[in-house]
Amino acid sequence: MASTSFTSSMDEWDALMKEFEDLERNHDTYLTKMSELTSLQNASFKAVKHQNYRVTQIKADLKRLESQKTPKSEEEEQRLEKMRKQLAEVQAKLAEMQNELPAESNGLYLNVILGSNLNVSLLNKTDRYKYKQEYEKFKVRVTYVLLVMLCIAYWFPTRAIDASCNFLMVWYYCTLTIRESILRINGSRIKGWWVLHHYASCVLCGITLTWKDGICYQAFRNTFILFSMYIGTVQLMQNAYQSGCLRRLHALGQRHSMDITVEGFSSWMFKGLTFLIPFLVVGYILQFYCAYVLFYIYRTLDCTGQWQVIAMAILFFLIACGNMFTILRVLARKVKDSKSYNNMVRLTNKYRQKYE
Ligand code: COA
């Protein structure tokens, strides 16, 4: 019995050693490929950079040629026209290639937070899609928690619950700025203003956290809580819209998907925007109203030593102006782009894997 178990143990050990040798070989291949990948990435990165530089020079030459007064033959005009088209195509392809390579740097903000030697580039479009999906889910979850906490704060007014809500908002907006910076590195086209808006919201909630209880604080408290509840609800609607866009863009990128077309996506997007924009605009009007209430408190009540009142009034006013201006720009761009061929190609390729 003892010898049988000895033999079977030895057999098992031999089998394991063989498996281990295979594993070691595979792992070595993996390490070699990784090293090849890094050198290919570096070579491609340098080549794209060089091509970009040359394209800029050729564009300058083209401009000079176009501005020359000497008449050109028909053949020369045709060649120039062909060159213009090809140049636009090459530039678009170079941008796409650059997007598929790891970013050179994470930017100052992420370097300070994460350290400068951590690369946060996601090279696979499926991973980018999943990261963005996760970001949208994160926003929804935290917004629900925040709404519940704001309801509690409204019905049971205590400074401690107010402080917890403000603390949660500071953490939330701060986390958003980090995630959005990572998304931007990975090809997201989030407008700089929305990221700046989240920095400003973080500062705003931080200031509220430092505001001491008193008549001035109490005069603004309920307005702030109700305003935050409204914004939270609109954020849920905005999130439903953006998650819908994301799902459709992903479906557009699937080679064999028959679910959606670019026209179908555009029509759904404009319908969503028509529903959402009035709620957003009301939110911005409420931001102006908060600024007005704070200015009023500053002028009529004794808020000596409470710099928070005027600082928040100014911040609310600036945020509302920036939001109004940006939303008008976003809408104007969307209407202009809706028929553009380049935009259609961009939307289709956003989550399309070249090699599956
Ligand atoms: N926060 C985070 N990401 C945003 C964003 C925002 N406010 N607005 C747009 N984006 C992202 C989009 O998801 C998209 O990302 P992608 O490139 O990774 O796919 C990119 O920016 C480009 O979006 P764009 O096409 O310009 O706009 P959109 O159709 O996605 O959304 C609005 C348009 C107007 C609905 C959106 O900008 C918005 O909700 N703005 C209002 C934000 C606001 O005021 N919030 C506070 C009150 S709730």
Side-chain angles (χ1 to χ4, degrees):
M1 189 72 189
S3 81
T4 321
S5 92
F6 175 82
T7 321
S8 72
S9 293
M10 284 301 120
D11 287 349
E12 210 153 301
W13 173 245
D14 289 342
L16 187 101
M17 283 309 284
K18 181 149 181 353
E19 269 175 39
F20 184 72
E21 274 167 24
D22 289 345
L23 171 70
E24 251 187 332
R25 242 192 324 275
N26 282 346
H27 192 74
D28 284 347
T29 317
Y30 159 72
L31 291 181
T32 320
K33 295 266 180 226
M34 280 293 283
S35 140
E36 278 172 23
L37 176 74
T38 312
S39 6
L40 275 174
Q41 272 174 350
N42 287 341
S44 188
F45 188 81
K46 277 188 198 141
V48 169
K49 210 170 171 179
H50 181 65
Q51 283 281 322
N52 267 327
Y53 168 72
R54 291 199 56 196
V55 164
T56 323
Q57 281 194 326
I58 290 178
K59 268 178 90 176
D61 287 348
L62 187 65
K63 234 184 188 162
R64 261 195 302 278
L65 276 176
E66 281 170 345
S67 62
Q68 273 172 7
K69 296 272 182 298
T70 43
K72 295 176 191 69
S73 69
E74 200 170 319
E75 194 192 336
E76 281 173 340
E77 282 293 355
Q78 276 174 358
R79 283 208 67 185
L80 277 179
E81 186 54 35
K82 193 174 166 197
M83 189 176 155
R84 249 178 251 123
K85 277 191 190 145
Q86 284 177 331
L87 206 59
E89 275 171 28
V90 167
Q91 266 188 310
K93 282 186 183 160
L94 281 174
E96 178 85 352
M97 284 179 200
Q98 197 149 18
N99 202 9
E100 283 158 353
L101 288 165
E104 199 173 5
S105 149
N106 292 340
L108 181 68
Y109 185 59
L110 286 182
N111 277 351
V112 170
I113 294 175
L114 306 175
S116 57
N117 56 353
L118 179 74
N119 200 318
V120 291
S121 302
L122 298 167
L123 302 178
N124 183 312
K125 288 193 180 171
T126 310
D127 289 345
R128 288 181 180 187
Y129 167 68
K130 285 189 183 150
Y131 189 73
K132 175 87 188 198
Q133 215 179 21
E134 225 284 309
Y135 159 82
E136 297 294 350
K137 277 190 199 149
F138 167 78
K139 286 207 289 190
V140 175
R141 285 188 202 127
V142 180
T143 308
Y144 274 124
V145 174
L146 192 61
L147 281 174
V148 171
M149 285 182 66
L150 286 169
C151 287
I152 298 172
Y154 188 75
W155 296 115
F156 306 100
T158 47
R159 189 69 178 93
I161 301 179
D162 289 4
S164 316
C165 290
N166 283 317
F167 184 77
L168 179 62
M169 285 197 260
V170 171
W171 173 80
Y172 171 59
Y173 285 118
C174 195
T175 312
L176 281 192
T177 57
I178 299 173
R179 289 192 180 222
E180 282 158 5
S181 305
I182 296 178
L183 281 169
R184 272 161 71 103
I185 285 184
N186 287 293
S188 175
R189 289 159 50 108
I190 304 177
K191 287 241 164 316
W193 168 257
W194 301 130
V195 184
L196 193 67
H197 169 227
H198 292 148
Y199 286 114
S201 305
C202 183
V203 172
L204 192 86
C205 300
I207 294 178
T208 322
L209 201 55
T210 65
W211 194 357
K212 77 168 193 267
D213 206 354
I215 48 163
C216 297
Y217 176 79
Q218 289 301 330
F220 184 61
R221 178 186 178 277
N222 278 356
T223 312
F224 186 62
I225 291 181
L226 290 173
F227 163 77
S228 304
M229 282 182 187
Y230 179 82
I231 288 295
T233 315
V234 177
Q235 261 175 15
L236 291 178
M237 294 181 191
Q238 179 202 332
N239 198 269
Y241 162 81
Q242 267 162 348
S243 302
C245 282
L246 183 66
R247 264 198 315 279
R248 283 166 179 79
L249 277 176
H250 185 248
L252 258 179
Q254 304 304 295
R255 243 168 249 281
H256 312 296
S257 168
M258 307 291 277
D259 294 349
I260 188 150
T261 58
V262 175
E263 289 77 17
F265 171 79
S266 289
S267 133
W268 184 89
M269 185 188 75
F270 278 112
K271 266 191 214 144
L273 281 176
T274 316
F275 176 77
L276 188 62
I277 298 289
F279 289 100
L280 284 171
V281 172
V282 171
Y284 304 156
I285 293 171
L286 288 178
Q287 284 169 342
F288 279 121
Y289 176 70
C290 285
Y292 164 77
V293 172
L294 284 161
F295 275 124
Y296 185 78
I297 292 173
Y298 181 72
R299 285 186 48 221
T300 53
L301 298 180
D302 179 19
C303 305
T304 325
Q306 296 178 38
W307 56 271
Q308 288 88 346
V309 186
I310 193 70
M312 283 175 66
I314 294 170
L315 261 177
F316 262 117
F317 182 74
L318 292 178
I319 289 177
C321 291
N323 281 346
M324 279 285 191
F325 177 71
T326 311
I327 206 128
L328 289 176
R329 270 188 58 203
V330 168
L331 286 179
R333 192 206 7 102
K334 279 188 184 284
V335 172
K336 194 170 145 236
D337 280 358
S338 60
K339 296 271 175 310
S340 130
Y341 173 74
N342 279 353
N343 191 46
M344 286 189 190
V345 174
R346 185 182 64 77
L347 291 177
T348 319
N349 286 340
K350 178 119 190 159
Y351 291 110
R352 171 165 288 179
Q353 283 286 108
K354 268 190 196 156
Y355 307 101
E356 283 163 22

